[in-house]
Amino acid sequence: MARGNTVWARVYYRNTTGEELRSVLTLMGPGGRTVELHCAPAAHDEPGTCETPRVPSSGTPGSATAIAEFVGAGPVEEAPLLLRAGSERAPGARD
């Protein structure tokens, strides 16, 4: 998401599994700049959001991308990846 010279990432979720989940929301900007936020979606059917801090944009509009990953419970090396979703530039967007 962007407003003026500020960018941030947001993911909306609904955890209907009844189990503990973990998620990581990553905002990547030009020059290797990255903001990463760990979220713990509650184990109930209520909608929720996870949002990175808003940071100054150091590139052109549309130069930042975001990825949200949701994994199951358990040890990190054994937790199954349940969902990976990423942002995509709008058709016709310029660098």
Side-chain angles (χ1 to χ4, degrees):
M1 302 186 73
R3 180 174 292 143
N5 291 333
T6 305
V7 296
W8 68 98
R10 178 186 300 157
V11 63
Y12 297 92
Y13 62 84
R14 187 176 221 154
N15 180 5
T16 61
T17 66
E19 298 178 16
E20 176 187 334
L21 297 179
R22 292 187 306 261
S23 72
V24 178
L25 180 58
T26 307
L27 174 65
M28 297 167 287
R33 295 182 55 187
T34 302
V35 175
E36 187 174 276
L37 181 68
H38 295 261
C39 302
H44 56 70
D45 195 21
E46 295 299 316
T49 61
C50 183
E51 185 173 297
T52 66
R54 296 172 187 220
V55 295
S57 175
S58 61
T60 60
S63 62
T65 58
I67 296 177
E69 296 177 304
F70 288 82
V71 297
V76 172
E77 59 277 352
E78 296 175 15
L81 176 63
L82 303 174
L83 174 70
R84 177 180 287 145
S87 63
E88 188 173 314
R89 283 189 200 187
R94 291 185 255 165
D95 289 336

